[in-house]
Amino acid sequence: MITKSFEIQNNPSNFLKYNLFLLYGENYGLKKDIKESIKIAINKQNANIELLSLYENDIIDNEENFYNSIYSESLFSSKKIITINYGTDKIIKQIKNIVDKYHENIFLIIFADILEKKSKLRNFFETNVKTLCIPCYLDSENELRILARTELKKNNITLSSESINLLIDKSNNDRNNLRNEIEKIKSFSLN
């Protein structure tokens, strides 16, 4: 199933019936934000979460370890979030193997770069009813402006429109870079 990125950010708890997420596109900051909102929504249900981060090469090199991490229960937490970084069509076989016998307390989030329409991984996530596919396109200047104003307002920092535009230009339209610049401003304002 396909959903828009803003839908899952606005109400992530509605999407927790899905355990497999594919976040693809060039906006890494948005992917990170979506992962964080999923983590917060799961945390509201249960405070014991284990976080695991893998790379596609880890799965290809050691499939057994990947399956063990999915099917084994954790001693200290009741839910597990496994993030796969730089996912491509090379892991489609492993994903298809786990989708039917998947444990409900384990969430799998795959970060992928731009995937073509003919990508097997993208196609699988778009057509399967048990999976969720979320395209993460670049932010517009208006979205970044809103994000900057919100972050600055949270910290009681006032900047002119020209300064906010300068921040957006300096961030190269990247949400992560913009947040880093705002962090610098927050640090400076505390002194």
Side-chain angles (χ1 to χ4, degrees), residues 6 61 73 76 87 102 126 128 132 136 143 146 150 159-160 170 174 178 191:
F6 68 87
D61 294 343
E73 294 284 325
F76 304 107
Y102 203 72
E126 286 178 348
N128 195 313
L132 197 61
C136 299
E143 289 170 323
I146 291 169
T150 306
L159 287 179
S160 67
K170 189 169 171 92
D174 185 331
L178 179 64
N191 294 333

Side-chain angles (χ1 to χ4, degrees), residues 72-138:
S72 65
E73 294 284 325
S74 176
L75 294 174
F76 304 107
S77 58
S78 57
K79 299 208 184 235
K80 199 186 289 189
I81 299 176
I82 301 173
T83 306
I84 300 173
N85 297 298
Y86 304 108
T88 64
D89 289 344
K90 294 178 185 175
I91 58 169
I92 189 69
K93 181 186 84 169
Q94 292 86 348
I95 300 301
K96 284 182 177 178
N97 286 340
I98 63 169
V99 78
D100 290 326
K101 42 192 172 179
Y102 203 72
H103 197 277
E104 65 185 33
N105 290 329
I106 297 175
F107 294 85
L108 185 70
I109 302 172
I110 301 173
F111 281 18
D113 288 330
I114 300 169
L115 295 175
E116 300 293 324
K117 278 196 179 266
K118 61 185 177 183
S119 164
K120 293 175 188 173
L121 188 65
R122 178 177 166 181
N123 232 347
F124 178 74
F125 272 83
E126 286 178 348
T127 56
N128 195 313
V129 294
K130 295 181 178 180
T131 61
L132 197 61
C133 185
I134 307 160
C136 299
Y137 303 116
L138 288 176

